[in-house]
Amino acid sequence: MSDYPRDLSGLTGPALVRLFLDAVDRPPTTAAERAEFFDFKARVFATIAYRDGNPDAATFAARARSDRDRLLAQIEDENRGGR
């Protein structure tokens, strides 16, 4: 289970940034942990994009979702005996 909070709606912009920087300080070591991190990163930037209408934040969220999806596909492939 991830240590990243699911509900970010009650956090202010500075609190979101602090939470994200704390997550960056604890680098993930496994593919599953990296996928969880990218999921969290996507949610943080999607929240910022929604609140501020920031297109750069929306782009970062999309990239993080893409990275998450790539890692999840890699994990699934490895679990099926690929690579």
Side-chain angles (χ1 to χ4, degrees), residues 13-29:
L16 281 170
V17 171
R18 279 192 300 276
L19 193 60
F20 179 70
L21 291 176
D22 286 344
V24 171
D25 280 345
R26 297 176 314 226
T29 56

Side-chain angles (χ1 to χ4, degrees), residues 7-68:
D7 184 11
L8 304 175
S9 63
L11 299 174
T12 64
L16 281 170
V17 171
R18 279 192 300 276
L19 193 60
F20 179 70
L21 291 176
D22 286 344
V24 171
D25 280 345
R26 297 176 314 226
T29 56
T30 67
E33 289 174 349
R34 286 191 301 277
E36 286 180 6
F37 170 76
F38 282 120
D39 180 66
F40 174 68
K41 181 178 179 179
R43 290 185 295 111
V44 166
F45 281 101
T47 300
I48 293 169
Y50 176 75
R51 287 183 186 170
D52 299 342
N54 184 325
D56 291 333
T59 299
F60 292 137
R63 286 180 186 161
R65 283 190 296 272
S66 176
D67 289 338
R68 176 205 58 205

